[in-house]
Amino acid sequence: MKLLLRCIRREAGAQLLLAWLPVLAGAALFIWCRHLGTWIAVLALTLWLAGLLLLKRALKQPRAEAHPLWQTLLNNPLRIVWVYTVRTQVMPFGFYLWETGQMYFKLVNGQEISLFVPARKLRMVSRFLNKLLPHATFGYSPENEQLYRENPLQLIKNHSSLT
């Protein structure tokens, strides 16, 4: 459970860091390159303003403990009906560089929550969630996708005992 909370915090930190990049790049471009022309100055200010908007959005994010996934797991885990992972290998020109992992949590009301998880931890987190969410379906398949689109309740194991 602590690993999931760390992943939520890491994702929030990454959003904050990525929001700072256009702020700093826009300011630097404006300071050092505005003498090159009006278009450069306009581009720099646009980049800076876009970064400020992203920064505002990142700062408005709730604390990790208030994240929708965390709250759902703690307070109402029965809302989660389907969980699957996607592992992506980054291999430009066929050379392996790294892997990323993402977990998708599909809710009974049709909403989706996703979370980046280190690829090497995906199996461990999935095993933990299997115990925490025994009613939920795990793993992606086109059949599961179709069932979810038709009626998310169909993905609940032992559906008759829960209704």
Side-chain angles (χ1 to χ4, degrees), residues 42-59:
V42 169
L43 174 68
L45 288 174
T46 303
L47 189 61
W48 183 73
L49 286 172
L52 286 179
L53 290 173
L54 289 172
L55 189 59
K56 179 182 174 186
R57 183 175 167 205
L59 290 172

Side-chain angles (χ1 to χ4, degrees), residues 116-131:
F116 285 99
V117 176
R120 66 185 185 285
K121 303 281 187 178
L122 282 172
R123 182 170 285 153
M124 179 179 64
V125 172
S126 288
R127 277 189 291 215
F128 168 75
L129 288 171
N130 262 299
K131 293 174 187 168

Side-chain angles (χ1 to χ4, degrees), residues 7-26:
C7 290
I8 291 169
R9 287 183 179 136
R10 183 181 302 132
E11 204 166 282
Q15 286 178 355
L16 193 60
L17 177 67
L18 288 174
W20 274 107
L21 288 176
V23 170
L24 297 175

Side-chain angles (χ1 to χ4, degrees), residues 14 27 33 44 87 102 122 130 143 146:
C33 300
R87 183 184 299 248
Q102 191 164 10
L122 282 172
N130 262 299
E143 294 80 23
Q146 182 65 30

Side-chain angles (χ1 to χ4, degrees), residues 85-88 99-103 115-120 122:
T85 61
V86 174
R87 183 184 299 248
T88 305
E99 282 183 301
T100 62
Q102 191 164 10
M103 295 195 86
L115 182 67
F116 285 99
V117 176
R120 66 185 185 285
L122 282 172

